[in-house]
Amino acid sequence: MQNTLSSEDSAELVRLWRRRQTLAPHEMGRMYGIVGAALGDCHPPELKALGEGRQELVAQFIYLKVLRLDADPEEGEEEGSGATERAAHSAPSTAFALCAYFRRYLIDCTRATSFRRKLSLGEEVSDEQLDAHLRGHRGAAGDTAGCLAEHGLSMAGVAEAARRFIAGLGEPERLLLCEGFGREAPLSGVAARHAIASYHYRAGRLGLVHRRESLPEDYGRTLLGGWIAQTLGIAIAPDNMDAIGAVFEILGAEASSS
């Protein structure tokens, strides 16, 4: 039997939903609690088709689609009352509605195929697809060193920059990167092992989770995207996917050994 929302929780959910991009930390926690509890008995069939645990997928859904912490806060301000009216109209007030929203998100994920790492630009792809993409392009365009050389970079230079980037992260972010990306461990498992609070939020700001429909330049707002664009000088654009993929490979190797 599906969980239901009390009248108090339902009213609070709608109130918080209307201004979900301007919530205080304790309000975010409350929103997370309400939605998480409402989805407790929600098990859409699409869950079986995805390569991550249910807890991880619920956290991603809340981060990306409910709290929308990766969206630009200025977007809502620029749209004004029109955005507020749309948010109020679309705010779910029942567990059934939340489950429908969750299932819609899972359907989007299945259409984008399995997503363990979520570091591609513009769409989510699996590690295997990313590796195949890189191998295929390098067969014609050259090796990793050649991809980087086009941007005035060397493998040794990128590796040194990667070590500095990792060393400059806060402890929670460093653990998420080194274990979740470098050693390909599930982020939820890393968070549980090290008691990392709000790991989905931290992972999003770091650049380990992002919206499939995001424009390429949006990734530059994350810590990883900013490092690639500003420190390494590689523009976040589809045409630079070979070089960005080479950077990911080097970063992953450095992260796994840190």
Side-chain angles (χ1 to χ4, degrees), residues 136-216:
H137 280 276
R138 285 172 194 155
D143 57 8
T144 300
C147 293
L148 296 175
E150 294 178 4
H151 296 270
L153 300 167
S154 67
M155 292 179 65
V158 171
E160 181 180 352
R163 288 191 291 271
R164 289 197 300 266
F165 175 76
I166 294 170
L169 292 173
E171 183 70 3
E173 287 75 17
R174 186 182 65 79
L175 289 169
L176 289 171
L177 179 66
C178 291
E179 297 187 24
F181 177 58
R183 297 165 199 163
E184 300 186 3
L187 294 178
S188 57
V190 178
R193 239 183 341 268
H194 300 284
I196 299 175
S198 303
Y199 76 90
H200 50 286
Y201 171 79
R202 295 179 186 275
R205 291 302 188 194
L206 181 56
L208 298 181
V209 179
H210 68 94
R211 291 181 297 171
R212 174 172 54 85
E213 65 270 23
S214 294
L215 295 175

Side-chain angles (χ1 to χ4, degrees), residues 37-233:
L39 295 178
D41 291 330
C42 181
H43 294 272
E46 290 77 16
L47 281 171
K48 297 180 180 179
L50 295 169
E52 296 196 23
R54 183 183 181 283
Q55 180 183 1
E56 179 79 8
L57 290 167
V58 169
Q60 291 168 9
F61 166 71
I62 295 175
Y63 170 82
L64 297 170
K65 299 300 182 181
V66 178
L67 295 176
R68 297 189 64 201
L69 295 175
D70 62 338
D72 187 352
E74 294 183 359
E75 291 178 2
E77 295 176 3
E78 292 173 357
E79 292 180 0
S81 60
T84 302
E85 291 172 2
R86 286 192 295 274
H89 178 72
S90 62
S93 59
T94 67
F96 180 84
L98 284 170
C99 192
Y101 274 40
F102 182 46
R103 185 176 186 187
R104 189 181 309 161
Y105 170 71
L106 295 179
I107 290 172
D108 287 343
C109 290
T110 57
R111 288 173 179 168
T113 71
S114 179
F115 60 105
R116 284 181 298 149
R117 190 174 288 173
K118 312 177 194 68
L119 284 174
S120 61
L121 303 177
E123 62 179 320
E124 294 173 352
V125 299
S126 67
D127 294 346
E128 292 77 13
Q129 288 173 309
L130 177 57
D131 291 341
H133 173 85
L134 295 174
R135 284 198 302 271
H137 280 276
R138 285 172 194 155
D143 57 8
T144 300
C147 293
L148 296 175
E150 294 178 4
H151 296 270
L153 300 167
S154 67
M155 292 179 65
V158 171
E160 181 180 352
R163 288 191 291 271
R164 289 197 300 266
F165 175 76
I166 294 170
L169 292 173
E171 183 70 3
E173 287 75 17
R174 186 182 65 79
L175 289 169
L176 289 171
L177 179 66
C178 291
E179 297 187 24
F181 177 58
R183 297 165 199 163
E184 300 186 3
L187 294 178
S188 57
V190 178
R193 239 183 341 268
H194 300 284
I196 299 175
S198 303
Y199 76 90
H200 50 286
Y201 171 79
R202 295 179 186 275
R205 291 302 188 194
L206 181 56
L208 298 181
V209 179
H210 68 94
R211 291 181 297 171
R212 174 172 54 85
E213 65 270 23
S214 294
L215 295 175
E217 57 266 25
D218 289 344
Y219 191 69
R221 296 174 182 169
T222 67
L223 293 178
L224 273 171
W227 172 67
I228 291 171
Q230 299 167 23
T231 300
L232 300 182

